[in-house]
Amino acid sequence: MRLQEAPAKQHISKEELPKSIRKALKSDVLTVWEVSDVYRIADANDGKATYEVYFINAEHNRAIARYDEHGNSVTD
């Protein structure tokens, strides 16, 4: 039996996001929110990356959106 490795989570800048995700952020409903943090999560088993984008708005509410490397929204 092979153990699955935990995904590696790496803090990155908004500018390091793939172009497809930056484009999705401009057309998403979260455009009125400010990006506060971005993480790249690499799956050690298949090498695919997902991106977690953390947002905050003027009322200090927080939200998280997840995207695949093509800019598609990912749900758990």
Side-chain angles (χ1 to χ4, degrees), residues 9-21:
K9 189 172 184 175
Q10 175 187 10
H11 189 264
I12 63 171
S13 71
K14 181 179 174 182
E15 292 74 27
E16 292 177 277
L17 283 169
K19 187 176 183 177
S20 57
I21 297 175

Side-chain angles (χ1 to χ4, degrees), residues 16-45:
E16 292 177 277
L17 283 169
K19 187 176 183 177
S20 57
I21 297 175
R22 291 194 314 266
K23 183 178 178 181
L25 292 176
K26 291 178 183 177
S27 63
D28 204 324
V29 295
L30 295 170
T31 55
V32 295
W33 295 61
E34 183 178 330
V35 173
S36 60
D37 284 299
V38 180
Y39 293 90
R40 181 182 186 275
I41 304 167
D43 189 314
N45 297 303

Side-chain angles (χ1 to χ4, degrees), residues 3 9 20 28 32-33 47-48 51 54 58 75-76:
L3 295 175
K9 189 172 184 175
S20 57
D28 204 324
V32 295
W33 295 61
K48 293 184 181 178
Y51 296 84
Y54 290 72
T75 57
D76 290 335

